[in-house]
Amino acid sequence: KGRGISKATAETLKMSNNKNVLAFNYYQDGKIVNSKYRKLEEKFMWQHAGGKQVLYNIDNLKSQEQIILVEGEFDVAAIVEVGFLNCGSVSQGAPNAGSEVSTKLSCLDNSADVIKDAKRVIIFTDEDKNGWYLEKILIERFGADRCAIVRVPEELVNKKTDKICKDANEVLIEYGPEVLKDLILKAVDTPISGVRTVRQVEGQ
């Protein structure tokens, strides 16, 4: 409840809970291939050693012309909460800015057959250096011609910290589902050098 996630969304994503530990279960073709755990009372996460690294919520990305990619499981839950089931996240968070990413983002390689034919990829990473680095890598992987970016506007600040909301879940908590949904619907196409789409210049 504190995260703005309903029971219906938790059940849709097949989350589970035991002894104040929340489990994000990674399903592929209907079978659990990995689980990631988070204590409810403190920010502490871990996952099974040897679990398969795939995108979280991968089964709901199949055969989708448009997909949304985010940085964490709570962000997936937030976006599903506002009506977009076609959302997945990387399994090990964003890599450190400038680092080598082959192992950290192996979930993309292991999910390639499912997501390779998506015609539009909306990218909504955290508003920090690591999030922007992940955004850059995803654009390189998918190609700028089919990527769109969600940016949290400066006026959407966390009322406790007075800093810009850092991710989708924080926007949901602070400003509600309609504001988060509107951000996704207004994702901006990635600019390509020398090329403009109709969407990019429609205001002119």
Side-chain angles (χ1 to χ4, degrees):
K1 290 181 179 179
R3 287 277 186 163
I5 308 302
S6 66
K7 183 180 179 182
T9 292
E11 290 177 342
T12 295
L13 293 172
K14 300 177 183 177
M15 297 179 190
S16 54
N17 165 43
N18 185 33
K19 297 180 179 179
N20 283 325
V21 174
L22 178 66
F24 296 101
N25 297 308
Y26 279 65
Y27 282 82
Q28 186 175 30
D29 298 324
K31 297 179 180 179
I32 293 180
V33 296
N34 199 0
S35 288
K36 192 171 178 180
Y37 303 98
R38 177 163 183 155
K39 288 186 177 182
L40 295 178
E41 299 163 346
E42 59 182 300
K43 189 174 181 180
F44 184 77
M45 302 188 75
W46 71 99
Q47 59 184 295
H48 279 294
K52 186 175 181 181
Q53 300 298 325
V54 294
L55 290 171
Y56 179 60
N57 197 35
I58 188 174
D59 281 355
N60 288 315
L61 303 181
K62 288 181 178 178
S63 304
Q64 296 291 331
E65 289 194 355
Q66 176 173 282
I67 63 174
I68 305 166
L69 294 180
V70 296
E71 194 170 319
E73 295 86 359
F74 272 125
D75 294 323
V76 172
I79 289 172
V80 171
E81 183 71 26
V82 301
F84 301 95
L85 190 56
N86 56 331
C87 181
S89 77
V90 294
S91 61
Q92 297 185 59
N96 292 328
S99 66
E100 200 282 323
V101 300
S102 59
T103 301
K104 184 82 171 180
L105 295 180
S106 60
C107 62
L108 291 175
D109 298 325
N110 295 335
S111 306
D113 288 344
V114 173
I115 61 176
K116 65 181 181 180
D117 294 326
K119 293 182 179 178
R120 192 166 190 247
V121 181
I122 296 176
I123 301 170
F124 192 167
T125 55
D126 286 10
E127 293 289 334
D128 57 27
K129 289 182 179 180
N130 292 350
W132 298 326
Y133 185 53
L134 175 59
E135 174 189 294
K136 176 177 179 290
I137 292 166
L138 291 174
I139 292 171
E140 290 172 352
R141 293 280 183 101
F142 288 98
D145 58 309
R146 55 175 173 160
C147 289
I149 303 300
V150 175
R151 281 277 184 267
V152 179
E154 292 181 359
E155 61 268 23
L156 296 185
V157 297
N158 183 309
K159 301 175 185 67
K160 293 180 181 178
T161 65
D162 205 32
K163 295 181 179 180
I164 188 171
C165 291
K166 69 180 182 65
D167 57 29
N169 191 210
E170 196 165 298
V171 172
L172 176 65
I173 295 167
E174 295 290 329
Y175 293 94
E178 291 305 316
V179 172
L180 176 57
K181 184 176 182 178
D182 191 54
L183 286 182
I184 296 166
L185 291 174
K186 292 180 178 178
V188 178
D189 289 342
T190 308
I192 304 170
S193 179
V195 176
R196 295 293 179 269
T197 67
V198 172
R199 188 181 291 111
Q200 287 171 326
V201 296
E202 62 186 352
Q204 302 171 23

